[in-house]
Short mmCIF file of all heavy atoms in Angstrom, two decimals:
data_model
loop_
_atom_site.label_atom_id
_atom_site.label_comp_id
_atom_site.label_asym_id
_atom_site.label_seq_id
_atom_site.Cartn_x
_atom_site.Cartn_y
_atom_site.Cartn_z
N MET I 1 0.85 -1.20 0.00
CA MET I 1 0.00 0.00 0.00
C MET I 1 0.87 1.24 0.00
O MET I 1 1.87 1.32 0.72
CB MET I 1 -0.87 0.01 1.26
CG MET I 1 -2.07 -0.90 1.17
SD MET I 1 -3.48 -0.07 0.49
CE MET I 1 -4.11 0.76 1.93
N ALA I 2 0.48 2.22 -0.79
CA ALA I 2 1.22 3.49 -0.83
C ALA I 2 1.05 4.24 0.47
O ALA I 2 -0.03 4.23 1.06
CB ALA I 2 0.71 4.32 -1.99
N GLN I 3 2.10 4.83 0.93
CA GLN I 3 2.08 5.58 2.19
C GLN I 3 2.49 7.03 1.93
O GLN I 3 3.34 7.28 1.09
CB GLN I 3 3.09 4.96 3.18
CG GLN I 3 2.69 3.58 3.66
CD GLN I 3 1.43 3.58 4.47
OE1 GLN I 3 1.24 4.44 5.31
NE2 GLN I 3 0.55 2.65 4.22
N PRO I 4 1.93 7.98 2.68
CA PRO I 4 2.36 9.37 2.53
C PRO I 4 3.79 9.54 3.05
O PRO I 4 4.17 8.92 4.05
CB PRO I 4 1.36 10.16 3.36
CG PRO I 4 0.73 9.19 4.28
CD PRO I 4 0.82 7.84 3.63
N LYS I 5 4.56 10.32 2.35
CA LYS I 5 5.97 10.50 2.72
C LYS I 5 6.11 11.31 4.01
O LYS I 5 7.00 11.05 4.81
CB LYS I 5 6.71 11.20 1.58
CG LYS I 5 8.23 11.14 1.72
CD LYS I 5 8.90 11.51 0.42
CE LYS I 5 10.39 11.25 0.48
NZ LYS I 5 11.03 11.45 -0.82
N ARG I 6 5.23 12.32 4.15
CA ARG I 6 5.30 13.20 5.32
C ARG I 6 3.94 13.30 5.98
O ARG I 6 2.92 13.28 5.30
CB ARG I 6 5.73 14.61 4.88
CG ARG I 6 7.16 14.68 4.40
CD ARG I 6 8.02 15.55 5.31
NE ARG I 6 9.42 15.43 4.94
CZ ARG I 6 10.33 14.81 5.68
NH1 ARG I 6 10.01 14.26 6.84
NH2 ARG I 6 11.58 14.74 5.29
N ARG I 7 3.96 13.45 7.27
CA ARG I 7 2.74 13.71 8.01
C ARG I 7 2.24 15.12 7.64
O ARG I 7 3.05 16.05 7.55
CB ARG I 7 3.07 13.67 9.51
CG ARG I 7 1.93 13.97 10.43
CD ARG I 7 2.49 14.20 11.84
NE ARG I 7 1.43 14.66 12.70
CZ ARG I 7 1.00 14.00 13.78
NH1 ARG I 7 1.58 12.87 14.13
NH2 ARG I 7 0.05 14.50 14.51
N THR I 8 0.93 15.27 7.42
CA THR I 8 0.38 16.58 7.08
C THR I 8 0.43 17.46 8.32
O THR I 8 -0.04 17.05 9.39
CB THR I 8 -1.08 16.44 6.61
OG1 THR I 8 -1.14 15.43 5.62
CG2 THR I 8 -1.61 17.73 6.03
N SER I 9 1.00 18.65 8.18
CA SER I 9 1.13 19.57 9.31
C SER I 9 -0.23 20.10 9.75
O SER I 9 -1.19 20.08 8.97
CB SER I 9 2.04 20.73 8.95
OG SER I 9 1.42 21.55 7.99
N LYS I 10 -0.31 20.55 11.00
CA LYS I 10 -1.56 21.12 11.53
C LYS I 10 -2.05 22.25 10.64
O LYS I 10 -3.23 22.36 10.35
CB LYS I 10 -1.33 21.68 12.92
CG LYS I 10 -1.21 20.63 14.01
CD LYS I 10 -0.90 21.31 15.32
CE LYS I 10 -0.44 20.31 16.37
NZ LYS I 10 0.07 21.00 17.56
N SER I 11 -1.09 23.08 10.22
CA SER I 11 -1.42 24.23 9.38
C SER I 11 -2.05 23.80 8.06
O SER I 11 -3.12 24.28 7.69
CB SER I 11 -0.15 25.04 9.13
OG SER I 11 -0.38 26.02 8.16
N LYS I 12 -1.40 22.86 7.38
CA LYS I 12 -1.89 22.41 6.07
C LYS I 12 -3.25 21.72 6.20
O LYS I 12 -4.14 21.92 5.38
CB LYS I 12 -0.88 21.45 5.43
CG LYS I 12 0.24 22.14 4.69
CD LYS I 12 -0.28 22.77 3.40
CE LYS I 12 0.72 23.78 2.85
NZ LYS I 12 0.12 24.64 1.84
N ARG I 13 -3.39 20.93 7.24
CA ARG I 13 -4.65 20.22 7.47
C ARG I 13 -5.78 21.22 7.73
O ARG I 13 -6.85 21.11 7.17
CB ARG I 13 -4.50 19.27 8.65
CG ARG I 13 -5.72 18.37 8.86
CD ARG I 13 -5.50 17.44 10.03
NE ARG I 13 -5.28 18.17 11.26
CZ ARG I 13 -4.41 17.81 12.21
NH1 ARG I 13 -3.67 16.74 12.07
NH2 ARG I 13 -4.29 18.52 13.30
N ARG I 14 -5.49 22.22 8.56
CA ARG I 14 -6.51 23.22 8.89
C ARG I 14 -6.84 24.11 7.70
O ARG I 14 -7.99 24.52 7.55
CB ARG I 14 -6.04 24.06 10.08
CG ARG I 14 -6.15 23.26 11.38
CD ARG I 14 -5.43 23.95 12.51
NE ARG I 14 -5.42 23.10 13.68
CZ ARG I 14 -4.69 23.33 14.78
NH1 ARG I 14 -3.91 24.40 14.84
NH2 ARG I 14 -4.74 22.52 15.80
N MET I 15 -5.85 24.39 6.88
CA MET I 15 -6.10 25.18 5.67
C MET I 15 -7.09 24.45 4.76
O MET I 15 -7.98 25.05 4.18
CB MET I 15 -4.80 25.45 4.91
CG MET I 15 -4.05 26.66 5.39
SD MET I 15 -2.80 27.17 4.22
CE MET I 15 -1.36 26.35 4.87
N ARG I 16 -6.92 23.14 4.66
CA ARG I 16 -7.80 22.32 3.83
C ARG I 16 -9.20 22.28 4.45
O ARG I 16 -10.21 22.38 3.75
CB ARG I 16 -7.22 20.91 3.70
CG ARG I 16 -7.88 20.10 2.63
CD ARG I 16 -7.33 18.68 2.46
NE ARG I 16 -6.02 18.41 2.97
CZ ARG I 16 -5.80 17.64 4.04
NH1 ARG I 16 -6.77 17.09 4.71
NH2 ARG I 16 -4.56 17.42 4.42
N GLN I 17 -9.26 22.11 5.78
CA GLN I 17 -10.54 21.98 6.46
C GLN I 17 -11.32 23.29 6.57
O GLN I 17 -12.52 23.26 6.82
CB GLN I 17 -10.32 21.40 7.85
CG GLN I 17 -9.98 19.93 7.79
CD GLN I 17 -9.64 19.37 9.15
OE1 GLN I 17 -9.35 20.11 10.08
NE2 GLN I 17 -9.67 18.06 9.26
N ALA I 18 -10.65 24.41 6.39
CA ALA I 18 -11.31 25.71 6.50
C ALA I 18 -12.51 25.80 5.57
O ALA I 18 -13.54 26.38 5.91
CB ALA I 18 -10.32 26.83 6.18
N HIS I 19 -12.39 25.18 4.41
CA HIS I 19 -13.46 25.16 3.42
C HIS I 19 -14.68 24.43 3.95
O HIS I 19 -15.80 24.90 3.84
CB HIS I 19 -12.95 24.46 2.16
CG HIS I 19 -13.26 25.20 0.93
ND1 HIS I 19 -12.63 26.37 0.59
CD2 HIS I 19 -14.17 24.96 -0.04
CE1 HIS I 19 -13.14 26.80 -0.56
NE2 HIS I 19 -14.08 25.97 -0.95
N THR I 20 -14.44 23.26 4.54
CA THR I 20 -15.51 22.42 5.08
C THR I 20 -16.21 23.12 6.24
O THR I 20 -17.43 23.07 6.34
CB THR I 20 -14.93 21.08 5.59
OG1 THR I 20 -13.92 20.68 4.70
CG2 THR I 20 -15.98 20.04 5.69
N LEU I 21 -15.42 23.79 7.09
CA LEU I 21 -15.98 24.49 8.24
C LEU I 21 -16.94 25.59 7.80
O LEU I 21 -18.00 25.77 8.37
CB LEU I 21 -14.87 25.09 9.10
CG LEU I 21 -14.08 24.10 9.94
CD1 LEU I 21 -12.82 24.74 10.46
CD2 LEU I 21 -14.93 23.58 11.09
N GLN I 22 -16.55 26.28 6.76
CA GLN I 22 -17.38 27.38 6.27
C GLN I 22 -18.68 26.85 5.68
O GLN I 22 -19.73 27.45 5.88
CB GLN I 22 -16.60 28.16 5.22
CG GLN I 22 -17.17 29.54 4.98
CD GLN I 22 -16.14 30.48 4.41
OE1 GLN I 22 -15.33 30.07 3.58
NE2 GLN I 22 -16.15 31.70 4.84
N LYS I 23 -18.61 25.74 4.99
CA LYS I 23 -19.80 25.16 4.38
C LYS I 23 -20.79 24.66 5.42
O LYS I 23 -21.98 24.68 5.21
CB LYS I 23 -19.40 23.97 3.48
CG LYS I 23 -19.14 24.36 2.04
CD LYS I 23 -18.88 23.14 1.22
CE LYS I 23 -19.96 22.94 0.18
NZ LYS I 23 -19.64 21.80 -0.71
N SER I 24 -20.27 24.19 6.56
CA SER I 24 -21.13 23.61 7.58
C SER I 24 -21.93 24.66 8.35
O SER I 24 -22.86 24.32 9.08
CB SER I 24 -20.31 22.76 8.55
OG SER I 24 -19.47 23.60 9.30
N LEU I 25 -21.59 25.95 8.18
CA LEU I 25 -22.37 27.00 8.83
C LEU I 25 -23.77 27.03 8.22
O LEU I 25 -23.93 26.77 7.03
CB LEU I 25 -21.69 28.36 8.64
CG LEU I 25 -20.33 28.56 9.29
CD1 LEU I 25 -19.73 29.87 8.80
CD2 LEU I 25 -20.44 28.57 10.79
N THR I 26 -24.74 27.34 9.04
CA THR I 26 -26.12 27.32 8.58
C THR I 26 -26.35 28.36 7.48
O THR I 26 -25.96 29.51 7.63
CB THR I 26 -27.07 27.60 9.76
OG1 THR I 26 -26.66 26.81 10.85
CG2 THR I 26 -28.49 27.29 9.41
N ALA I 27 -26.98 27.93 6.43
CA ALA I 27 -27.31 28.83 5.32
C ALA I 27 -28.39 29.81 5.76
O ALA I 27 -29.33 29.44 6.46
CB ALA I 27 -27.77 28.01 4.13
N THR I 28 -28.24 31.05 5.36
CA THR I 28 -29.25 32.05 5.72
C THR I 28 -29.72 32.82 4.49
O THR I 28 -28.98 32.98 3.52
CB THR I 28 -28.70 33.06 6.75
OG1 THR I 28 -27.48 33.59 6.25
CG2 THR I 28 -28.49 32.45 8.10
N SER I 29 -30.97 33.26 4.56
CA SER I 29 -31.51 34.15 3.55
C SER I 29 -32.34 35.18 4.31
O SER I 29 -32.55 35.04 5.51
CB SER I 29 -32.36 33.38 2.55
OG SER I 29 -33.45 32.79 3.19
N THR I 30 -32.81 36.20 3.61
CA THR I 30 -33.61 37.22 4.30
C THR I 30 -35.08 37.07 3.93
O THR I 30 -35.42 36.75 2.80
CB THR I 30 -33.13 38.63 3.95
OG1 THR I 30 -32.96 38.72 2.54
CG2 THR I 30 -31.83 38.97 4.64
N CYS I 31 -35.93 37.33 4.93
CA CYS I 31 -37.37 37.23 4.74
C CYS I 31 -37.86 38.39 3.86
O CYS I 31 -37.53 39.53 4.15
CB CYS I 31 -38.06 37.27 6.10
SG CYS I 31 -39.85 37.36 6.00
N PRO I 32 -38.63 38.10 2.80
CA PRO I 32 -39.12 39.20 1.97
C PRO I 32 -40.20 40.05 2.66
O PRO I 32 -40.44 41.19 2.25
CB PRO I 32 -39.70 38.49 0.73
CG PRO I 32 -39.99 37.11 1.18
CD PRO I 32 -39.02 36.79 2.28
N GLN I 33 -40.81 39.50 3.71
CA GLN I 33 -41.87 40.22 4.42
C GLN I 33 -41.30 41.21 5.44
O GLN I 33 -41.68 42.36 5.47
CB GLN I 33 -42.80 39.23 5.14
CG GLN I 33 -43.55 38.29 4.22
CD GLN I 33 -44.62 38.99 3.41
OE1 GLN I 33 -45.38 39.79 3.93
NE2 GLN I 33 -44.66 38.70 2.11
N CYS I 34 -40.40 40.71 6.30
CA CYS I 34 -39.91 41.55 7.39
C CYS I 34 -38.40 41.81 7.32
O CYS I 34 -37.89 42.63 8.06
CB CYS I 34 -40.27 40.93 8.74
SG CYS I 34 -39.44 39.38 9.07
N GLY I 35 -37.69 41.12 6.42
CA GLY I 35 -36.26 41.37 6.25
C GLY I 35 -35.37 40.72 7.30
O GLY I 35 -34.17 40.96 7.32
N ALA I 36 -35.95 39.87 8.14
CA ALA I 36 -35.16 39.20 9.17
C ALA I 36 -34.40 38.03 8.55
O ALA I 36 -34.85 37.43 7.58
CB ALA I 36 -36.09 38.69 10.27
N PRO I 37 -33.23 37.67 9.11
CA PRO I 37 -32.50 36.52 8.58
C PRO I 37 -33.23 35.21 8.88
O PRO I 37 -33.64 34.98 10.02
CB PRO I 37 -31.15 36.59 9.29
CG PRO I 37 -31.36 37.42 10.50
CD PRO I 37 -32.48 38.35 10.18
N THR I 38 -33.41 34.39 7.87
CA THR I 38 -34.13 33.12 8.04
C THR I 38 -33.37 32.01 7.32
O THR I 38 -32.48 32.28 6.53
CB THR I 38 -35.54 33.19 7.41
OG1 THR I 38 -35.40 33.55 6.04
CG2 THR I 38 -36.43 34.15 8.13
N GLN I 39 -33.76 30.78 7.60
CA GLN I 39 -33.21 29.65 6.87
C GLN I 39 -34.02 29.50 5.59
O GLN I 39 -35.25 29.61 5.63
CB GLN I 39 -33.32 28.38 7.70
CG GLN I 39 -32.26 28.25 8.77
CD GLN I 39 -32.35 26.90 9.44
OE1 GLN I 39 -32.09 25.88 8.83
NE2 GLN I 39 -32.72 26.89 10.70
N PRO I 40 -33.39 29.22 4.45
CA PRO I 40 -34.14 29.05 3.22
C PRO I 40 -35.07 27.83 3.27
O PRO I 40 -34.75 26.83 3.92
CB PRO I 40 -33.07 28.88 2.14
CG PRO I 40 -31.81 28.54 2.87
CD PRO I 40 -31.93 29.11 4.23
N HIS I 41 -36.21 27.92 2.61
CA HIS I 41 -37.23 26.87 2.54
C HIS I 41 -37.88 26.58 3.89
O HIS I 41 -38.32 25.47 4.15
CB HIS I 41 -36.69 25.57 1.92
CG HIS I 41 -36.00 25.80 0.61
ND1 HIS I 41 -34.64 25.71 0.44
CD2 HIS I 41 -36.49 26.18 -0.59
CE1 HIS I 41 -34.34 26.00 -0.81
NE2 HIS I 41 -35.45 26.29 -1.46
N ARG I 42 -37.89 27.62 4.76
CA ARG I 42 -38.53 27.46 6.07
C ARG I 42 -39.37 28.69 6.37
O ARG I 42 -39.09 29.77 5.86
CB ARG I 42 -37.48 27.25 7.16
CG ARG I 42 -37.05 25.79 7.29
CD ARG I 42 -35.63 25.71 7.77
NE ARG I 42 -35.12 24.35 7.76
CZ ARG I 42 -34.52 23.79 6.71
NH1 ARG I 42 -34.39 24.42 5.58
NH2 ARG I 42 -34.04 22.57 6.81
N VAL I 43 -40.37 28.49 7.23
CA VAL I 43 -41.22 29.59 7.65
C VAL I 43 -40.38 30.58 8.45
O VAL I 43 -39.55 30.18 9.28
CB VAL I 43 -42.40 29.04 8.50
CG1 VAL I 43 -43.25 30.19 9.04
CG2 VAL I 43 -43.25 28.10 7.68
N CYS I 44 -40.60 31.87 8.21
CA CYS I 44 -39.85 32.90 8.92
C CYS I 44 -40.20 32.86 10.41
O CYS I 44 -41.38 32.90 10.77
CB CYS I 44 -40.19 34.27 8.33
SG CYS I 44 -39.48 35.63 9.24
N PRO I 45 -39.21 32.76 11.30
CA PRO I 45 -39.50 32.68 12.74
C PRO I 45 -39.99 33.99 13.35
O PRO I 45 -40.62 33.98 14.41
CB PRO I 45 -38.17 32.25 13.36
CG PRO I 45 -37.14 32.71 12.39
CD PRO I 45 -37.77 32.67 11.04
N SER I 46 -39.72 35.12 12.71
CA SER I 46 -40.10 36.40 13.31
C SER I 46 -41.47 36.90 12.86
O SER I 46 -42.17 37.56 13.62
CB SER I 46 -39.03 37.46 13.06
OG SER I 46 -38.84 37.65 11.68
N CYS I 47 -41.90 36.59 11.63
CA CYS I 47 -43.23 37.05 11.19
C CYS I 47 -44.15 35.90 10.79
O CYS I 47 -45.35 36.12 10.60
CB CYS I 47 -43.10 38.08 10.06
SG CYS I 47 -42.59 37.41 8.48
N GLY I 48 -43.63 34.68 10.66
CA GLY I 48 -44.48 33.52 10.39
C GLY I 48 -45.00 33.42 8.97
O GLY I 48 -46.04 32.81 8.74
N SER I 49 -44.29 34.01 8.01
CA SER I 49 -44.76 33.92 6.62
C SER I 49 -43.87 32.98 5.82
O SER I 49 -42.70 32.77 6.15
CB SER I 49 -44.76 35.30 5.97
OG SER I 49 -43.44 35.76 5.76
N TYR I 50 -44.43 32.40 4.79
CA TYR I 50 -43.67 31.54 3.88
C TYR I 50 -44.18 31.75 2.47
O TYR I 50 -45.37 31.63 2.20
CB TYR I 50 -43.80 30.07 4.30
CG TYR I 50 -42.96 29.15 3.45
CD1 TYR I 50 -41.57 29.21 3.50
CD2 TYR I 50 -43.55 28.26 2.57
CE1 TYR I 50 -40.79 28.40 2.71
CE2 TYR I 50 -42.78 27.43 1.77
CZ TYR I 50 -41.40 27.51 1.84
OH TYR I 50 -40.63 26.70 1.05
N ARG I 51 -43.29 32.09 1.56
CA ARG I 51 -43.60 32.38 0.16
C ARG I 51 -44.71 33.44 0.02
O ARG I 51 -45.68 33.25 -0.70
CB ARG I 51 -43.97 31.11 -0.60
CG ARG I 51 -42.82 30.12 -0.70
CD ARG I 51 -43.14 28.94 -1.57
NE ARG I 51 -43.24 29.32 -2.98
CZ ARG I 51 -43.62 28.49 -3.96
NH1 ARG I 51 -43.91 27.24 -3.69
NH2 ARG I 51 -43.69 28.89 -5.20
N GLY I 52 -44.55 34.51 0.79
CA GLY I 52 -45.49 35.62 0.70
C GLY I 52 -46.86 35.35 1.28
O GLY I 52 -47.80 36.08 1.03
N ARG I 53 -46.99 34.29 2.05
CA ARG I 53 -48.27 33.90 2.62
C ARG I 53 -48.11 33.78 4.13
O ARG I 53 -47.10 33.27 4.60
CB ARG I 53 -48.67 32.54 2.04
CG ARG I 53 -50.15 32.26 1.95
CD ARG I 53 -50.40 31.18 0.88
NE ARG I 53 -49.63 29.95 1.17
CZ ARG I 53 -50.04 29.02 2.03
NH1 ARG I 53 -51.17 29.14 2.67
NH2 ARG I 53 -49.32 27.94 2.22
N GLN I 54 -49.13 34.19 4.91
CA GLN I 54 -49.08 34.06 6.36
C GLN I 54 -49.41 32.62 6.72
O GLN I 54 -50.47 32.11 6.37
CB GLN I 54 -50.09 35.03 7.01
CG GLN I 54 -49.83 35.28 8.49
CD GLN I 54 -48.53 36.07 8.72
OE1 GLN I 54 -48.16 36.88 7.91
NE2 GLN I 54 -47.87 35.81 9.83
N VAL I 55 -48.46 31.96 7.36
CA VAL I 55 -48.63 30.54 7.68
C VAL I 55 -48.87 30.33 9.16
O VAL I 55 -49.70 29.53 9.58
CB VAL I 55 -47.40 29.71 7.19
CG1 VAL I 55 -47.59 28.24 7.47
CG2 VAL I 55 -47.19 29.92 5.70
N LEU I 56 -48.10 31.06 9.99
CA LEU I 56 -48.19 30.91 11.44
C LEU I 56 -48.51 32.25 12.07
O LEU I 56 -48.20 33.30 11.51
CB LEU I 56 -46.85 30.43 12.01
CG LEU I 56 -46.33 29.06 11.62
CD1 LEU I 56 -44.93 28.89 12.14
CD2 LEU I 56 -47.22 27.96 12.16
N THR I 57 -49.12 32.20 13.24
CA THR I 57 -49.26 33.41 14.03
C THR I 57 -48.17 33.38 15.10
O THR I 57 -48.10 32.43 15.87
CB THR I 57 -50.66 33.51 14.68
OG1 THR I 57 -51.00 32.24 15.21
CG2 THR I 57 -51.71 33.93 13.65
N VAL I 58 -47.31 34.37 15.08
CA VAL I 58 -46.17 34.41 15.98
C VAL I 58 -46.55 35.15 17.25
O VAL I 58 -47.05 36.29 17.18
CB VAL I 58 -44.94 35.05 15.30
CG1 VAL I 58 -43.75 35.08 16.25
CG2 VAL I 58 -44.59 34.31 14.02
N ALA I 59 -46.36 34.50 18.39
CA ALA I 59 -46.64 35.13 19.68
C ALA I 59 -45.61 36.22 19.96
O ALA I 59 -44.41 36.01 19.76
CB ALA I 59 -46.61 34.08 20.78
N VAL I 60 -46.07 37.37 20.40
CA VAL I 60 -45.17 38.49 20.72
C VAL I 60 -45.00 38.58 22.22
O VAL I 60 -45.97 38.72 22.96
CB VAL I 60 -45.73 39.81 20.14
CG1 VAL I 60 -44.77 40.97 20.42
CG2 VAL I 60 -45.97 39.70 18.64
N ASP I 61 -43.78 38.46 22.69
CA ASP I 61 -43.48 38.58 24.13
C ASP I 61 -43.45 40.04 24.54
O ASP I 61 -42.94 40.89 23.83
CB ASP I 61 -42.12 37.93 24.43
CG ASP I 61 -42.15 36.43 24.17
OD1 ASP I 61 -43.15 35.81 24.57
OD2 ASP I 61 -41.20 35.89 23.59
N GLU I 62 -44.01 40.31 25.72
CA GLU I 62 -44.05 41.68 26.21
C GLU I 62 -43.35 41.83 27.55
O GLU I 62 -42.96 40.88 28.14
CB GLU I 62 -45.50 42.15 26.36
CG GLU I 62 -46.24 41.87 25.05
CD GLU I 62 -47.51 42.71 24.85
OE1 GLU I 62 -47.76 43.64 25.64
OE2 GLU I 62 -48.21 42.41 23.91
ZN1 LIG X 101 -40.39 37.49 8.24
#
């Protein structure tokens, strides 16, 4: 079996993994109704709308 000549340094390994780390962050988009950051393909947590339609009634804390 072929073996690597040198052990990959922490720096080189982390440089490679930086890409993966960035991808694993949660994707965000903005709500067209209220402009709040939301996850794509999900009901907006702040106003309860999805695709320009009111889906949920969001309780407002006072
Ligand atoms: Zn919204």
Side-chain angles (χ1 to χ4, degrees):
M1 281 270 278
Q3 293 295 317
K5 193 165 189 173
R6 291 245 171 250
R7 178 193 172 118
T8 310
S9 68
K10 285 176 194 171
S11 170
K12 276 289 164 195
R13 187 179 60 218
R14 285 168 187 169
M15 275 195 265
R16 193 180 340 110
Q17 287 175 343
H19 227 72
T20 322
L21 286 166
Q22 199 157 38
K23 269 185 115 175
S24 68
L25 295 171
T26 314
T28 52
S29 62
T30 47
C31 173
Q33 297 290 315
C34 66
T38 57
Q39 281 186 67
H41 308 108
R42 275 150 187 89
V43 176
C44 173
S46 60
C47 72
S49 70
Y50 184 67
R51 295 186 69 186
R53 208 157 56 82
Q54 197 69 32
V55 182
L56 296 172
T57 44
V58 180
V60 182
D61 295 317
E62 309 200 9

